[in-house]
Every structure is written in C-alpha cells, then in structure tokens.
Amino acid sequence: MSRDWQQWHEHYDDPDSSLSKRLTVVRGALQGLLAAAEGPVRLLSLCAGDGRDTLPVVRASDASVTGVLVELDPELAARARANAPAGIEVRTADAGTTASYADVAPVDVLLECGIFGNVTDDDIARTVAATPSLLVAGGHVVWTRGNNVPRDPTSYEGDPAELVRGLFLDAGFEEVVFVSDPSGFRVGVSRWPGPDGVPGPGQRVFHFV
Ligand SMILES: C[S@@+](CC[C@H](N)C(=O)[O-])C[C@H]1O[C@@H](n2cnc3c(N)ncnc32)[C@H](O)[C@@H]1O
C-alpha cells in the first residue's frame, strides 16, 4: 500500500476540509445521474475507499442500483461492505487491473475518484483509454483530480486536471460537468456517447506510486 489510506480518510472528519467539500460535489454528481436514470443502474467504483461517496447516495436513491466497489485496503473494504445496501458488492481487490471487474462491465456509472493524483501520467492515459470499454453507450464517468496533491507524480506543467480533461475529450467523451474548486479539488463528469463497451481480458491500467 502506497500510503496510509485509513489515515487519509480522517480528513473527511473535518467538514471544512477540501476533501469534505469534494465529497459533497461527488455525491451531488452521483445523485444527479441516479435521478436522471430511466431504468436500473449498474455502478462500478474503482479505489472506492470506505464507499462514503457512493453508498449513502445509492441508499437514498429511488433508482434500482446494483454494482461493485473495488478497494484494496481490507479494513476500508470491510467498512464499505458493512454499509453496502442490497445489490452492492464490495470486492477487496486490485482496481489497477481490469481483471478485477471485467465481469461487471459495461456499467452505467463509473467512479474514478481519488486515483489520478496517485498514478503516473502514463497510467492516467491508460486508465482513461480503458474507460470506454467499461461503460455502456450513454454511460457516465465521475472522476477527480487534485491540484494540491503532496508529492504529485505528474510531470504535466499546469493544473493536472487539464491533462485528465483533455484525455477524456480526446478519447471521445463529452464533458457534462467540470468543477474547479479554489481549495484545490477538481471533479469531472464525462459522458461516453457509445458504442457499448466491451471489456477486454484483464489489463493493467495503473498502480499507485
Ligand atoms: C485517495 S483514496 C480515494 C478513496 C475514495 N474513492 C474517495 O474518494 O473517498 C484512494 C483509495 O484507493 C485505494 N487503493 C490504492 N491502490 C489501490 C488498488 N490498486 N486497487 C484498489 N484500491 C486501491 C486506497 O486504499 C484508498 O482507499
């Protein structure tokens, strides 16, 4: 494990932290996607942490949601599992390889939150390039990227969220939402116009530096 991710989650305890503000934006984005859904929703969250950005939103939604959260840290995964509503599976697994969730895809909503500040630019590009294979036509990815990451692995000059935005646009995604907060976090929602994704055999797309 690249750092103490349980300790990282403690920043959520401060309601004024940038992370808590980001949580509100991510939850709002997911809430909007679920509210707009016209049928059952299949959801996948990579590097899901304790699931606080997804599980309360799913629980409160009128939508019929099934899906999978993938988290490597056993304690965080256990916390998520303990809070997961019916229909949501939590896998203690490596989200850096698509083999861990190829059976779930393509999904309607994919969360890639808390990943892009922890991997190299090449891994960001690989992850974005693989994202269409994980989404149905018309599906959405919710992603985050901080501009205030300690020991940021990027070599991009400027706001690294711009790198991510550009990669999604170049891959054929339509940008639906982009939030740039003065505290440093960025949240994007991008729509995949299609065709339906076909997950390939397991592929390594990232590992945390
Ligand atoms: C920055 S946190 C984000 C957590 C959550 N998505 C959120 O935004 O609250 C990154 C999470 O990724 C997990 N993680 C790190 N490497 C992973 C991997 N290869 N597969 C799955 N989870 C991983 C960490 O344990 C941590 O919970």
Side-chain angles (χ1 to χ4, degrees):
M1 196 60 72
S2 49
R3 57 185 282 193
D4 186 339
W5 291 110
Q6 294 173 32
Q7 194 178 52
W8 178 91
H9 276 70
E10 290 172 10
H11 293 290
Y12 280 126
D13 295 342
D14 174 1
D16 295 324
S17 68
S18 177
L19 194 59
S20 291
K21 290 179 186 157
R22 190 190 87 176
L23 177 64
T24 302
V25 175
V26 171
R27 282 178 174 168
L30 179 57
Q31 200 171 27
L33 293 173
L34 297 186
E38 290 170 357
V41 177
R42 186 180 282 254
L43 174 147
L44 174 64
S45 176
L46 306 183
C47 298
D50 65 6
R52 73 179 69 199
D53 51 3
T54 51
L55 299 174
V57 181
V58 169
R59 197 180 288 285
S61 170
D62 291 333
S64 166
V65 185
T66 57
V68 169
L69 275 56
V70 186
E71 167 56 43
L72 193 57
D73 182 293
E75 168 60 25
L76 292 170
R79 288 183 205 167
R81 205 169 284 121
N83 286 321
I88 301 292
E89 178 194 351
V90 180
R91 293 185 183 171
T92 309
D94 180 0
T97 168
T98 59
S100 296
Y101 40 85
D103 59 316
V104 184
V107 298
D108 303 285
V109 179
L110 173 65
L111 283 96
E112 294 177 346
C113 296
I115 298 175
F116 295 143
N118 297 293
V119 304
T120 63
D121 295 344
D122 284 349
D123 278 3
I124 296 174
R126 263 187 284 276
T127 304
V128 171
T131 298
S133 72
L134 302 175
L135 288 170
V136 298
H140 292 81
V141 56
V142 182
W143 59 270
T144 67
R145 179 55 160 110
N147 190 24
N148 53 358
V149 175
R151 301 180 300 282
D152 196 318
T154 191
S155 48
Y156 184 79
E157 293 191 7
D159 185 338
E162 296 303 326
L163 170 68
V164 181
R165 289 177 92 183
L167 287 167
F168 275 117
L169 289 172
D170 290 350
F173 283 82
E174 300 158 359
E175 189 169 270
V176 179
V177 172
F178 180 69
V179 175
S180 175
D181 191 86
S183 71
F185 71 79
R186 316 284 184 249
V187 177
V189 180
S190 302
R191 178 180 181 275
W192 173 244
D196 281 346
V198 180
Q203 176 198 359
R204 166 71 46 193
V205 285
F206 65 78
H207 61 261
F208 275 34
V209 294

